[in-house]
Amino acid sequence: MAAKIIAQMVVAGATVLFRAASQAWGQALVNAQKTGVAQEAASKAANAAAGAASSVSGMTSQEARLILGLENNASWSEVIKRYKHLFSINEQSGSFYLTSKIYRAKEQLDQEYTAAGLKTDEPEDVSSTKTSEDPSKDAK
């Protein structure tokens, strides 16, 4: 008999707590909408999702420029020249991590320049080294 009463009290207490928590959550959502916090959080989430979706290589264009040592207004031929130079140096030294970072940086800038219509043909004087191979494929 005592166990039944204790069980009923526990269920009643849990029900009261659940209802109170549900009402508090609902009120918090209403307050957030009134103050604009919900829109701010939604816009931040949308911006983060857009940034991640635009980057195939998992890095930002700013990071790619830092890796390749380029200015913001660098031409496509400068990107290719720096890429080939850094790629060949790191390929010789055997640093797979750096070679991969350099390749991904070029890949990110390639995507950005193509979307912006700034990409031109590769310069002839630096096209003798390989550029089309993904270094991650060599590790398999």
Side-chain angles (χ1 to χ4, degrees):
M1 181 75 173
K4 184 178 179 182
I5 293 172
I6 291 174
Q8 288 175 342
M9 288 176 49
V10 168
V11 169
T15 303
V16 169
L17 286 174
F18 179 74
R19 285 185 183 164
S22 296
Q23 288 177 351
W25 179 258
Q27 189 61 43
L29 290 177
V30 169
N31 291 344
Q33 288 175 345
K34 286 181 183 176
T35 61
V37 173
Q39 289 85 6
E40 184 180 331
S43 67
K44 284 182 182 178
N47 290 341
S54 69
S55 176
V56 173
S57 61
M59 70 174 57
T60 64
S61 296
Q62 181 181 8
E63 183 182 4
R65 284 187 178 86
L66 286 172
I67 290 169
L68 295 176
L70 296 168
E71 298 292 326
N72 285 338
N73 57 355
S75 68
W76 179 246
S77 61
E78 291 174 31
V79 172
I80 293 297
K81 185 177 178 181
R82 290 292 299 161
Y83 162 73
K84 289 182 177 183
H85 173 71
L86 292 171
F87 191 91
S88 65
I89 288 173
N90 285 297
E91 189 176 42
Q92 292 170 2
S93 69
S95 176
F96 175 75
Y97 175 77
L98 290 177
T99 304
S100 293
K101 280 293 204 182
I102 292 165
Y103 180 82
R104 297 297 174 209
K106 183 233 176 207
E107 186 178 56
Q108 172 61 31
L109 291 176
D110 181 28
Q111 178 186 9
E112 177 187 320
Y113 278 61
T114 301
L118 300 173
K119 188 174 172 183
T120 60
D121 292 334
E122 294 182 19
E124 296 170 8
D125 60 326
V126 290
S127 62
S128 60
T129 59
K130 65 180 183 176
T131 60
S132 62
E133 293 185 19
D134 186 346
S136 61
K137 293 177 184 173
D138 295 337
K140 293 178 183 174

